[in-house]
């Protein structure tokens, strides 16, 4: 079973950058699409970005398009989310997830989830 572990969260000022990582410690997600979601206090978990199993295709939420970049290093079994020009509204717990489908953007299509990493953007 896939086991996902996120890291890289922290506190950053508005306009700054962070890079999140998600490692599949059991090396089972190489044929899965991988995605990032986030959940702010009192809000639903929402889609952020995803990449296909090969990394060739990506999809982004409109709110992060042009600021965030999702990528994966297949030999290292690691998924990344480079976040630039961060805004206070990006504050949330960020989760990585794996899906057997090609490139889904809905939460229900993801089969495995990490425990999340906190990102806080101060104004």
């Amino acid at each position: 079973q896939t086991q996902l572990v996120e890291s890289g969260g922290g506190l950053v000022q508005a306009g700054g950058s962070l890079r999140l990582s998600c490692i599949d410690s059991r090396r089972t997600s190489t044929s899965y699409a991988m995605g990032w979601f986030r959940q702010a206090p009192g809000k639903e978990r929402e889609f952020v970005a995803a990449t296909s199993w090969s990394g060739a295709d990506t999809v982004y939420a409109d709110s992060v398009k042009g600021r965030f970049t999702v990528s994966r290093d297949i030999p290292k079994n690691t998924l990344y989310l480079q976040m630039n020009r961060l805004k206070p509204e990006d504050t949330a717990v960020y989760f990585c997830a794996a899906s057997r489908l090609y490139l889904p953007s809905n939460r229900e299509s993801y089969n495995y989830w990490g425990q999340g990493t906190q990102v806080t953007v101060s104004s």
Side-chain angles (χ1 to χ4, degrees):
Q1 184 172 347
T2 297
Q3 184 171 9
L4 306 175
V5 180
E6 304 95 335
S7 62
L11 174 64
V12 64
Q13 288 189 331
S17 298
L18 279 176
R19 188 176 81 157
L20 305 183
S21 300
C22 170
I23 187 165
D24 171 14
S25 59
R26 299 189 182 183
R27 301 175 179 270
T28 58
S29 65
T30 54
S31 61
Y32 287 23
M34 298 291 293
W36 288 99
F37 288 75
R38 66 187 182 186
Q39 187 166 17
K43 295 189 176 181
E44 295 288 318
R45 191 171 299 187
E46 65 175 3
F47 173 76
V48 175
T51 178
S52 59
W53 69 269
S54 67
D57 294 317
T58 57
V59 61
Y60 295 90
D62 288 343
S63 59
V64 306
K65 205 171 290 183
R67 298 188 298 123
F68 291 10
T69 303
V70 61
S71 62
R72 67 191 301 174
D73 185 328
I74 295 173
K76 293 184 178 179
N77 297 288
T78 303
L79 175 73
Y80 301 102
L81 184 68
Q82 178 66 44
M83 306 186 293
N84 298 328
R85 305 200 312 273
L86 282 161
K87 305 175 182 179
E89 51 263 44
D90 294 319
T91 295
V93 177
Y94 283 70
F95 299 88
C96 70
S99 172
R100 298 185 183 97
L101 301 181
Y102 185 69
L103 193 61
S105 57
N106 60 307
R107 176 181 173 181
E108 294 74 19
S109 295
Y110 284 80
N111 309 97
Y112 303 102
W113 293 84
Q115 82 290 347
T117 186
Q118 176 71 46
V119 171
T120 303
V121 184
S122 63
S123 57

